[in-house]
Amino acid sequence: MKATEHRIPKDFDKSFTVFREVGAYFPCPWHYHPEYELVLVTRSTGRRMVGDHIGYFGEEDLVFMAPRLPHVWVNDAPYLNGETGHQADAIVIHFMEDFLGEAFNAVPEMEMMKTAFQLAKHGMEIKGNTRSRINAIMKKMPDMNGMQRLSALFSIFDLLAATTEYELLASPAFVENVQLTTSNRFGIITDYIMRNFDRDIPLTEIAGVANMAVTTFCNYFKEHQRVTFIEYLNSVRVGHACKLLSEKDHNIAEIAYECGFNNLANFNRQFKKLKGMTPSEYKRTLVL
């Protein structure tokens, strides 16, 4: 079974990502990605496969995984068939190893965490009191501001670095021998978006960059990025707008057009959809 590479869009104003996975079931196929990942299931049951390990998950299940380790969470039939009366729910943290700069991992305080990073290559099912304490922190993180989230992540690092309450999942043989061959197509697509997001990018154009038909490209992009091309493009534009709002004294209309939005109303609508506030409200938070 070939694993697919997934990329989660990251905001310009955040060094790592915290999000809730909410739906009738968890939609991701067998996949991997370049980030470390913590997955806390708050509601659902089913089977999870991490490397060559197959186990079962329920509420409060917590797993820590290193980059490029293939995994999938498969909900039980009542969730897949819409028979539970409630949605599956999980909280997920993604971060790159150098998310605070290459020098960060070299500081003495990170020495103990390096062991957890090595163990995470197998996937770690966190158990006991450590799990309870980390889960309590993670449940609050979606509603935290930036500095609070960063402080919370450091608290989680401290718990992971010291714990002996875990089970390793993927076998040593799997970790040693896994070979994941990935296309550079994602790199080509994302590089093109980052160079051209400040103007209109028709689907025919970006599909041509990927050397695909439009329908094939749309399906491919949604499968791997978990959002549509337009949703991803808007997230990049809004992220850049946040950067400009914090750095420049331009008015909001100027920033909207500089980020590729063709009218101010659409900019305000997409910004509020992604940030939960208008650009003007966001700008005011920067001076508080």
Side-chain angles (χ1 to χ4, degrees), residues 105-129:
N105 286 334
V107 301
E109 289 81 1
M110 284 296 292
E111 192 62 35
M112 288 183 65
M113 188 60 196
K114 291 178 181 178
T115 298
F117 285 158
Q118 287 296 316
L119 294 173
K121 291 180 179 180
H122 298 263
M124 301 170 67
E125 179 186 352
I126 309 301
K127 299 186 174 185
N129 185 52

Side-chain angles (χ1 to χ4, degrees), residues 12-14 238-252 255 259 267 271 279-287:
F12 276 81
D13 57 347
K14 295 180 175 64
V238 168
H240 188 60
C242 291
K243 187 171 183 286
L244 295 181
L245 286 166
S246 67
E247 294 179 350
K248 293 190 174 184
D249 197 27
H250 293 174
N251 65 48
I252 289 173
I255 289 176
C259 292
F267 173 58
F271 195 100
S280 298
E281 291 169 337
Y282 181 85
K283 193 170 186 177
R284 285 195 292 270
T285 67
L286 300 175
V287 296

Side-chain angles (χ1 to χ4, degrees), residues 188-204:
I188 293 171
I189 293 170
T190 55
D191 180 70
Y192 194 85
I193 292 171
M194 296 308 295
R195 292 177 184 275
N196 296 280
F197 67 82
D198 57 348
R199 64 170 180 84
D200 184 46
I201 306 177
L203 275 171
T204 52

Side-chain angles (χ1 to χ4, degrees), residues 58-275:
E59 295 184 2
E60 302 299 312
D61 186 71
L62 179 65
V63 174
F64 180 42
M65 294 170 289
R68 302 182 69 82
L69 178 62
H71 55 278
V72 65
W73 269 240
V74 180
N75 305 85
D76 282 334
Y79 286 92
L80 297 175
N81 299 330
E83 299 170 350
T84 61
H86 57 262
Q87 293 184 307
D89 198 340
I91 299 171
V92 184
I93 299 175
H94 278 184
F95 63 91
M96 302 293 285
E97 186 168 7
D98 60 351
F99 77 108
L100 291 178
E102 293 184 2
F104 177 71
N105 286 334
V107 301
E109 289 81 1
M110 284 296 292
E111 192 62 35
M112 288 183 65
M113 188 60 196
K114 291 178 181 178
T115 298
F117 285 158
Q118 287 296 316
L119 294 173
K121 291 180 179 180
H122 298 263
M124 301 170 67
E125 179 186 352
I126 309 301
K127 299 186 174 185
N129 185 52
T130 303
R131 181 181 71 175
S132 298
R133 294 175 67 183
I134 292 177
N135 289 3
I137 295 170
M138 288 183 65
K139 288 174 184 177
K140 298 176 182 177
M141 289 178 73
D143 298 320
M144 292 179 177
N145 64 34
M147 284 300 295
Q148 290 171 338
R149 285 188 178 190
L150 187 59
S151 176
L153 185 61
F154 285 162
S155 295
I156 291 172
F157 282 175
D158 183 51
L159 291 166
L160 289 173
T163 189
T164 58
E165 298 177 299
Y166 62 84
E167 175 187 347
L168 296 183
L169 302 178
S171 69
F174 181 92
V175 172
E176 182 178 351
N177 295 322
V178 64
Q179 297 292 326
L180 301 174
T181 57
T182 61
S183 167
N184 67 349
R185 182 173 279 158
F186 272 126
I188 293 171
I189 293 170
T190 55
D191 180 70
Y192 194 85
I193 292 171
M194 296 308 295
R195 292 177 184 275
N196 296 280
F197 67 82
D198 57 348
R199 64 170 180 84
D200 184 46
I201 306 177
L203 275 171
T204 52
E205 179 181 330
I206 191 65
V209 170
N211 197 27
M212 292 178 171
V214 170
T215 301
T216 304
F217 170 80
C218 290
N219 292 335
Y220 173 86
F221 197 95
K222 181 66 181 289
E223 178 186 357
H224 289 80
Q225 300 287 56
R226 304 174 67 193
V227 293
T228 67
F229 167 69
I230 297 301
E231 289 170 334
Y232 182 88
L233 180 59
N234 283 335
S235 73
V236 171
R237 288 170 170 167
V238 168
H240 188 60
C242 291
K243 187 171 183 286
L244 295 181
L245 286 166
S246 67
E247 294 179 350
K248 293 190 174 184
D249 197 27
H250 293 174
N251 65 48
I252 289 173
E254 290 175 327
I255 289 176
Y257 288 103
E258 188 171 342
C259 292
F261 290 97
N262 55 14
N263 65 74
L264 185 58
N266 186 39
F267 173 58
N268 286 328
R269 183 167 56 252
Q270 296 300 330
F271 195 100
K272 187 168 185 178
K273 178 181 177 182
L274 290 166
K275 294 296 180 181

